[in-house]
C-alpha cells in the first residue's frame, strides 16, 4: 500500500488554529522550517555572506543591499563542519509532542512542492495534525497577523529571542524579558538555549508566550524549551516583526514592503490537499 494521503490544510484554517491557541493561553509550540532549514535538513550548504549566497546547488551574488547581506541576515552552515547542528535540526523537526506544530513549505509552490515532499517523507506517517505552513503568519495572512495576533501578545507575558540589532522601543506590546543573538546565530549562539533554560528554571516561568526571531536558532530553541518546559507558548515569528524591530535586513522582504509602504497584502496562499 502507498503512503496515506495527508489531511487537507487551508491557509486560513491554520492561521485560525494558531490564533486560537495564543488567545486561549493553552501551551503549544510552532516552529518554521522554511527554505533555509529544509536545505539544512537535506544536509546541503547554506551561506548568506556579505557578497554572495549559497543554498544547496544555488550560488550567486546578492544585490538586495548593494551587494551584501546585513549582519542580522548572515548565516553559514557547512555539512562537513556542522554535523551537530544538522542532527539537532532533524531532531527538532521529527520530534512529536502534543501541540508541537511544525511549519513546512507548501505543496502548491513551483519549487516548494519538492521541499514539501521531502519534509513529509522525512517526518513520516501519522501526526499530520502537527504539520502546518511555514508561512502561515506572513504573505496573504500578514495583515491578519498585524491586526489580530500582535494585539494578543499585549495580553500575554511575553519573552523574546531576537537579533541584537533589533530595536524594541516601538513594539506594540511589552517584552518582559529579551534574549539577543548575533550573526550566524544558528551556529554561534546555540548556548543561548541553556541561558533561556536557566532563566525559566530559576524563575519558575509558566504561562508565558516566547517569541523567536532568530533564524534556525529558533528551531533548536523551540524544540528544546517546549520539550523540557511545556507549560508555556513558543512561537516562531520569523521576519514578521522585522518592520517593528527596524531591522534594515527585513525591509527588502516583499510582503513587509507591500504592507507597510503600500498598504497591500500580497496574494500568496499556501495549501495542500
Amino acid at each position: 500500500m502507498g503512503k496515506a494521503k495527508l489531511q487537507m490544510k487551508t491557509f486560513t484554517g491554520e492561521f485560525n488554529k494558531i490564533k486560537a491557541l495564543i488567545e486561549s493561553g493553552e501551551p503549544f509550540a510552532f516552529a518554521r522550517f522554511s527554505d533555509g532549514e529544509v536545505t539544512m535538513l537535506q544536509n546541503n550548504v547554506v551561506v548568506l555572506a556579505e557578497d554572495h549566497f549559497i543554498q544547496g546547488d544555488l550560488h550567486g551574488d546578492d544585490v538586495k543591499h548593494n551587494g551584501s547581506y546585513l549582519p542580522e541576515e548572515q548565516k553559514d552552515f557547512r555539512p562537513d563542519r556542522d554535523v551537530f547542528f544538522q542532527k539537532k535540526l532533524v531532531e527538532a523537526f521529527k520530534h512529536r509532542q502534543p501541540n508541537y506544530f511544525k511549519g513546512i513549505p507548501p505543496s502548491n509552490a513551483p519549487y516548494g512542492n519538492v521541499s514539501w515532499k521531502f519534509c513529509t517523507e522525512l517526518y513520516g506517517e501519522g501526526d499530520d495534525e502537527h504539520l502546518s505552513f511555514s508561512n502561515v503568519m506572513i504573505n496573504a495572512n500578514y495583515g491578519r497577523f498585524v491586526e489580530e495576533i500582535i494585539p494578543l501578545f499585549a495580553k500575554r507575558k511575553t519573552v523574546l529571542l531576537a537579533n541584537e540589532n533589533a530595536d524594541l522601543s516601538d513594539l506594540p506590546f511589552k517584552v518582559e524579558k529579551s534574549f539577543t543573538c548575533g550573526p550566524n546565530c544558528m551556529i554561534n549562539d546555540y548556548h543561548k538555549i541553556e541561558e533561556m533554560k536557566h532563566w525559566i528554571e530559576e524563575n519558575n516561568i509558566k504561562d508565558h508566550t516566547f517569541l523567536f526571531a532568530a533564524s534556525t536558532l529558533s528551531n533548536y530553541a523551540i524544540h528544546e524549551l517546549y520539550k523540557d518546559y511545556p507549560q508555556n507558548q513558543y512561537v516562531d515569528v520569523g521576519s514578521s516583526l522585522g518592520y517593528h524591530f527596524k531591522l534594515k535586513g527585513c525591509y527588502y522582504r516583499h510582503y513587509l514592503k507591500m504592507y507597510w509602504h503600500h498598504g497591500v497584502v500580497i496574494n500568496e496562499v499556501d495549501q495542500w490537499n
Side-chain angles (χ1 to χ4, degrees), residues 69-110:
Y69 278 94
L70 298 176
E72 59 263 26
E73 302 172 281
Q74 292 172 14
K75 58 182 70 175
D76 191 320
F77 167 78
R78 312 280 178 161
D80 56 345
R81 180 194 67 196
D82 301 320
V83 176
F84 171 83
F85 298 102
Q86 198 270 345
K87 178 182 176 183
K88 286 298 179 182
L89 190 61
V90 171
E91 288 178 4
F93 180 65
K94 298 189 75 172
H95 179 71
R96 300 187 180 194
Q97 184 176 343
N99 275 8
Y100 178 55
F101 299 95
K102 281 76 65 174
I104 63 175
S107 63
N108 64 321

Side-chain angles (χ1 to χ4, degrees), residues 11-27:
F11 209 37
T12 297
E14 293 301 293
F15 180 92
N16 291 342
K17 180 193 299 181
I18 290 175
K19 176 188 172 183
L21 285 165
I22 296 171
E23 194 166 23
S24 70
E26 181 178 352

Side-chain angles (χ1 to χ4, degrees), residues 32-39 41 55 103-105 115 134-135 219:
R32 302 175 65 251
F33 292 81
S34 299
D35 293 342
E37 285 74 39
V38 173
T39 305
L41 288 171
Q55 185 170 324
I104 63 175
S115 296
S134 58
N135 290 340
N219 301 74

Side-chain angles (χ1 to χ4, degrees), residues 48 74-75 79 89 99 115 125 138 170 226-227 242 254:
L48 300 185
Q74 292 172 14
K75 58 182 70 175
L89 190 61
N99 275 8
S115 296
E125 294 188 14
I138 63 173
D170 286 338
Y226 189 58
K227 177 166 58 88
H254 185 54

Side-chain angles (χ1 to χ4, degrees), residues 183-194:
N184 201 27
C185 61
M186 65 183 186
I187 306 297
N188 297 335
D189 291 326
Y190 189 83
H191 63 280
K192 291 289 181 177
I193 299 173
E194 286 303 316

